[in-house]
Amino acid sequence: MPSYTVTVATGSQWFAGTDDYVYLTLQGTDGCSERHLLDKPFYNDFERGAVDSYDVTVEEDLGEIQLIKIEKRKYWYQDDWYLKYITVKTPVGDYLEFPCYRWITDEKEVVLRDGRAKLPRDDKTQILKQHRRKELESRQKMYRWKEWHPGFPLSIDAHCHSELPRDIQFDNEKGIDFILNYTKAMENLYVNRFMHMFQSSWSDFADFERIFVRISNTISEYVMQHWREDFMFGYQFLNGCNPVLIRRCTEIPKKLPVTMDMVECSLERNLTLEEEVKQGNIFIVDYELLDGVDANKTDPCTIQYLAAPICLLYKNLEKKIVPIAIQLGQKPGPDNPIFLPSDATYDWLLAKIWVRSSDFHIHQTVTHLLRTHLVSEVFSIAMFRQLPAVHPLFKLLVPHMRFTIAINTKAREQLICECGLFDKANATGGGGHVQMVQKAMKDLTYSSLCFPEEIKAKGMDSKEDIPYYYYRDDGIKVWEAIKSFAEDVIHIYYESDEVVCEDVELQAFVKDIYVYGMRGVKASGKVGWVTSLLGQMIRTRETLAEYLTVIMFTTSAQHAAVNFGQYDWCSWIPNAPPTMRCPPPTEKGTVTIEQIVESLPDRGRSCWHLGAVWALSQFQDKELFLGMYPDEHFVEKPVKEAMAKFRKNLDEIVSTITERNKNKKLPYYYLSPDRIPNSVAV
């Protein structure tokens, strides 16, 4: 009688093992095996991290094994089991791999296909077509779209983390408890002692050092020492934690009536302002999105303020970017002066502080929350709804969706919800952040997520003109490495553009992203979100490669670039005030150091802010970085070779960045692949 050797690997997560009854059924082209009992309670099989083997004897040859069914029947209490994979050695000596990498809960069963990736057209038998269809039907019931706020990208239909499908929950929910993590962070930073003085002001700038934690040779300490300097102010637009707003100025906007007389002392080339603009030496950052946004009113004891500045910057003869004019409101007028480096020291300093505060708000709500977290959740939900586990694009994308829906659900539960932690320290809390996302959705285009295109559209693509833009340089390298990897995988499974057009699951995935996740945004760049209600779709391998690169880059590199520098750049509170307690100045020559300190966050809000940027800047336990794929969803040799090539390309980028950063006082490492997590998970 034919005998099959079945090997079962259990995950190493806490509580991954099981003491329930476990049954196995093999289904082949020539028949189906009997239901075999693999494990009974207290047999000590399927323990955490274990690999167990069994001989399964059948009466007749089953032919080519197509499906494996695993059943778990409860013995005493609910005992979830994390199944990594099953391998089967056939009677003729062939090895088949059946990836799983999911939890089997309650008295559930799971049906697995072998690990070879298949497009819909590759399935010829009815049993495989039916399995594919049932998997998607089941997933679409579990992963439902929901509107959290009008005008937002749609999110998962779950009120809290515990309501999520078990497969996408964090292994340890305490690890992503924002209240617990922020409180722990404040304990680690020794700032809890200031919380009893919540609404009291600091005495002076030096007083902020009392909550500042010095960590040897860090960027944060360099920021504390140099934050007042115009060079440091300008440098952050290129390589801080929000390096996405600066653009080359092609024309001075009418709403910023800067004259040559105002800025002449800042220009170094003996050219007029108009000539400097024509030569590409003037840059602009406009915080217009903040105009009209309501400031936080959740604390009646503390009035908070927002501004919508416009900042003009100049590339000096050293090719460094420095500010030359700041207007703190959008409408010019006598009560909205243009502040200049030649003004009184505290006038100019307060104007720069207002820009830094506005930059912090745009960074947190638009650059970080909307354009990485919420967009990545859309990609994740659409993937689970429209791509079965056997699809090559599911196998390619699933590592980049790890824990994203979970972290966003927890954020909606504790962080950005009404009365959440966001309200405690931020001037855009209490609903302002919601208004910002709704406004920013109008500019959330497909093209704006194509990294090289967005850099070029802002006029920031010339390395010769702007040599110190490391965010651009490293981002392009990582983008190209990801795109090359995506192209390699695409060419393994899609031998022509026609095959791309025929892939109904791919087209449904893209449509789900656009129609549901992105709400059918019309002003969506060069090809929209690639699809529309009119039936447009991805038609070529080239377009597909770019689309997948957008997804993989956004969920990994872009998030890393704007998240993990938060402590470095925002822990020195005057450099990134989360709120301002006095309105923007309406005239020059009146600002004092006392007024500046009184404008900055009070002690309690400073502590909450410091705990937040510390917690958000930490990697997850057992973080998986770009190119690390311990879960082997792919089994084919060509794909594994493509992965090896990808890792080699990433290693070369790491070496280049490491060499460049040597002896730099301000190293830039946020886009070094060994510091880029695969997914948005914090």
Side-chain angles (χ1 to χ4, degrees), residues 54 67 110 170 180 198 204 217 239 278 403 452 526 601 663 667:
Y54 308 88
L67 300 173
V110 62
F170 277 94
L180 187 67
F198 193 88
D204 51 35
N217 297 319
N239 301 311
K278 288 179 181 178
F403 298 147
K526 65 169 189 180
N663 303 318

Side-chain angles (χ1 to χ4, degrees), residues 194 201-212 572 603:
F194 297 103
S201 297
W202 302 94
S203 302
D204 51 35
F205 289 134
D207 208 13
F208 281 99
E209 293 188 47
R210 297 177 64 188
I211 67 164
F212 184 79
W572 179 244
R603 295 170 188 261

